[in-house]
Amino acid sequence: LSVTTYITTEVAPMPLLWVIPLGIYLLSFVLVFAKRRVVPHRWIIGALPFAVLLSVMLLARKVLLSESFLALGWPMTLHLLALFVVAMFCHGELAADRPTVSRLTEFYLWISAGGVLGGIFNALLAPLIFHTVIEYPITLLLACLLMPRRTPDQPNRRTRMLDVVLPVLLGLFTAGFLWIFMRDPLRSPEPIVAYGLPSMICLSFWRRPLRFALGVLALLVATTLGLRPDLQTIVVVRSFFGIHRVELFPWQQNVHFLRHGSTIHGMQDLNPAERRTPLMYFAKSGPLGQTIATLPAELRQRVAVIGLGAGTVACYAETGQQWTFYEIDPEVKRIASDPQYFTYLQDCPANVHVVLGDGRLSLQAAADGEFGLMILDAYNSDTVPLHLVTREALQLYLRKLMPSGVLAFNISNRNFDLEPVFANLAQNASVFALCRFDRVTTEESQGTGKVESCWVVMTRDAQRLKVLAEDSRWQPPRVQPEVGIWTDDYASLFRVFIWR
């Protein structure tokens, strides 16, 4: 359950990512309780320290680089491999300890009770107790404590003291080592290399479960304390939809970031002269700014935005206009509405209304033909919720749009190539569509706060996008028949995943 929560928090709460960990968990039961052991238990015991340290190194790498969790790439595969080893170890211990046939009913009853308690802790208590998915490393630590002791000598005062002292020294060494590594301008592009030596030292503790578990804890604590020194976290909140952080640079206290999972979803410069300047994907010189600038006043009178984020697109609102934001996560609304974090909504001169709830469901309550412009910018970390990019969803958007209204979709993504998805949808709906990938130089990004983005715009009236069509940076989106047309019944991320 902790692995499932970690993966779905970083990628998306989708059935595919629920089923895979569950299948591994159940498979481990089948293998360890089989009449003939396919994998000897001693192999699993030997593999457990490596699996735990591998998971810890991946967790550290993610924090080190503040990177996106590769949804279908090798990090997910390695986390699932670690889940398999830990499950095989724990369930193997259960199988080896099972009683005689006369007490098997009681035995399986207690196993079921343990599963219920684990489910209650992960599903109900952990989100209330922890701001992050810390239950995942906690589970790894508990698995380490269950390892059999592999030393013949009996514990004495000296060995017990070393069980604590050595992990503490390891933690201090790791924190210092990483501190130096992260500040070296000539450092390797793969920070996980810096974690290799501390991990090898920790691996030498494997014969003593307590020492090894405390060593793993020391690595995790050192990672938390020693990494990302260039960022300060103002607030961290957790909801069903993920982990939200508001961060800033120590040397640039006026610039706030909203990070969901590993993806930045909004940024604001709180200097009075810059507070109404849209940054990142929404810069005025970018695709969205260019699109809005070409629209007549009647289309900008009533605007719908699915996905609130930090409220950046409210910078484009003008006095007398009606802007409606649809946001599913109450925590995002609370952060965007709090002026100590972001002031986009507070500074907006238009009449702004935030509707809480699923954007697609909430939009059904709007009148048909109500909006002249609709902006889709809903993300779960780095993934667009699939039900918002289907044929049926597009039909809803078009119905709520004025006959000559415009749809603007933010399809910026590190892991998925969404351009053919929208191209196929536009072709199926017989609407005119254009796509612009906005490349940004490092100097431009540092100077203006703008980042690379990709947007698709659609309309029934091609004349509304005539100005954009004459710009060579805008091209018809790339159609790929093999991607298919996403519907409420079928949508495949595998077909658009960017394999690295």
Side-chain angles (χ1 to χ4, degrees):
L1 286 172
S2 65
V3 172
T4 303
T5 302
Y6 177 76
I7 293 175
T8 55
T9 297
E10 293 299 328
V11 184
M14 53 189 290
L16 172 67
L17 300 182
W18 296 330
V19 170
I20 295 176
L22 177 61
I24 292 174
Y25 172 79
L26 296 177
L27 175 63
S28 67
F29 267 116
V30 173
L31 294 177
V32 301
F33 281 94
K35 290 184 177 180
R36 294 185 59 184
R37 283 286 183 91
V38 178
V39 183
H41 190 54
R42 66 179 185 276
W43 291 7
I44 296 298
I45 294 176
L48 181 62
F50 294 94
V52 169
L53 286 174
L54 181 61
S55 296
V56 171
M57 291 172 71
L58 291 173
L59 293 171
R61 181 180 189 271
K62 180 178 177 299
V63 180
L64 270 165
L65 298 178
S66 191
E67 65 171 3
S68 169
F69 183 87
L70 303 182
L72 303 175
W74 64 267
M76 175 178 168
T77 303
L78 294 178
H79 280 294
L80 293 175
L81 177 63
L83 166 63
F84 175 74
V85 173
V86 172
M88 286 288 290
F89 165 71
C90 293
H91 297 158
E93 292 292 309
L94 280 176
D97 196 40
R98 63 182 180 270
T100 59
V101 175
S102 61
R103 303 196 64 183
L104 282 181
T105 301
E106 179 185 1
F107 174 70
Y108 291 119
L109 176 63
W110 281 112
I111 290 180
S112 301
V116 171
L117 293 176
I120 291 174
F121 175 78
N122 279 270
L124 302 179
L125 297 181
L128 298 176
I129 299 172
F130 307 127
H131 290 308
T132 60
V133 191
I134 197 173
E135 61 266 28
Y136 180 30
I138 287 177
T139 307
L140 296 176
L141 291 173
L142 293 175
C144 295
L145 290 173
L146 293 174
M147 292 170 55
R149 190 164 58 90
R150 306 296 291 271
T151 55
D153 59 303
Q154 292 298 318
N156 54 44
R157 183 177 180 181
R158 178 177 176 275
T159 56
R160 291 192 184 97
M161 183 178 298
L162 289 175
D163 285 344
V164 176
V165 172
L166 291 178
V168 170
L169 293 176
L170 174 63
L172 295 174
F173 169 75
T174 304
F177 195 65
L178 291 174
W179 188 88
I180 296 172
F181 181 82
M182 291 300 293
R183 283 161 176 75
D184 182 2
L186 300 177
R187 65 180 182 267
S188 165
E190 181 51 76
I192 201 171
V193 174
Y195 224 72
L197 181 58
S199 297
M200 291 177 63
I201 296 174
C202 184
L203 186 62
S204 67
F205 301 160
W206 72 277
R207 294 181 181 275
R208 304 191 66 85
L210 177 60
R211 186 179 301 179
F212 180 74
L214 292 178
V216 172
L217 177 61
L219 294 179
L220 291 169
V221 172
T223 301
T224 303
L225 297 179
L227 306 185
R228 299 301 297 167
D230 55 334
L231 288 177
Q232 288 182 358
T233 300
I234 303 174
V235 65
V236 181
V237 295
R238 179 178 178 179
S239 69
F240 171 78
F241 303 97
I243 312 298
H244 307 285
R245 293 180 174 87
V246 179
E247 300 173 331
L248 54 81
F249 291 115
W251 60 85
Q252 207 170 7
Q253 299 277 329
N254 55 298
V255 178
H256 288 189
F257 304 84
L258 173 62
R259 187 186 300 275
H260 181 203
S262 56
T263 304
I264 297 178
H265 282 206
M267 180 172 70
Q268 183 180 22
D269 187 340
L270 293 177
N271 282 328
E274 302 293 336
R275 283 174 29 162
R276 289 270 298 154
T277 301
L279 304 175
M280 298 191 67
Y281 323 100
F282 317 103
K284 289 185 177 180
S285 61
L288 179 64
Q290 184 185 10
T291 299
I292 294 178
T294 63
L295 297 181
E298 62 267 21
L299 292 186
R300 292 183 280 116
Q301 193 63 33
R302 302 185 70 86
V303 179
V305 183
I306 299 180
L308 175 60
T312 310
V313 293
C315 291
Y316 291 101
E318 300 174 2
T319 303
Q321 295 178 352
Q322 172 72 45
W323 283 60
T324 304
F325 288 85
Y326 295 92
E327 174 57 49
I328 195 172
D329 194 336
E331 293 296 341
V332 172
K333 178 185 178 182
R334 185 179 68 81
I335 291 173
S337 303
D338 193 330
Q340 68 176 319
Y341 305 136
F342 300 98
T343 65
Y344 286 127
L345 295 183
Q346 176 182 283
D347 297 338
C348 182
N351 183 13
V352 175
H353 181 48
V354 180
V355 178
L356 275 178
D358 179 85
R360 180 172 164 182
L361 296 178
S362 301
L363 191 62
Q364 293 177 356
D368 290 351
E370 178 176 350
F371 302 107
L373 170 65
M374 292 182 63
I375 302 171
L376 182 75
D377 183 47
Y379 274 82
N380 185 81
S381 189
D382 197 41
T383 306
V384 179
L386 299 188
H387 74 291
L388 297 180
V389 291
T390 64
R391 179 181 59 195
E392 292 79 5
L394 180 59
Q395 291 171 354
L396 173 66
Y397 304 150
L398 293 173
R399 192 166 68 248
K400 302 303 177 182
L401 210 61
M402 294 179 182
S404 58
V406 173
L407 290 167
F409 299 91
N410 183 5
I411 64 169
S412 311
N413 206 283
R414 292 185 294 261
N415 299 315
F416 300 99
D417 179 14
L418 297 176
E419 182 181 345
V421 173
F422 284 87
N424 294 352
L425 288 174
Q427 187 180 69
N428 179 259
S430 300
V431 296
F432 181 70
L434 291 172
C435 178
R436 175 186 167 188
F437 179 70
D438 189 29
R439 300 185 184 277
V440 180
T441 64
T442 303
E443 293 76 14
E444 185 181 6
S445 178
Q446 293 175 347
T448 64
K450 182 182 178 183
V451 298
E452 288 188 347
S453 64
C454 189
W455 289 77
V456 170
V457 291
M458 298 182 189
T459 182
R460 299 187 190 93
D461 183 3
Q463 287 298 114
R464 289 299 185 193
L465 300 180
K466 182 180 179 181
V467 175
L468 300 185
E470 294 173 349
D471 188 332
S472 60
R473 294 174 298 178
W474 289 89
Q475 298 293 329
R478 185 177 73 259
V479 175
Q480 289 184 0
E482 63 272 18
V483 171
I485 298 172
W486 285 10
T487 69
D488 288 347
D489 295 324
Y490 173 80
S492 174
L493 285 173
F494 284 102
R495 294 182 181 272
V496 294
F497 180 69
I498 302 173
W499 297 96
R500 294 176 173 85

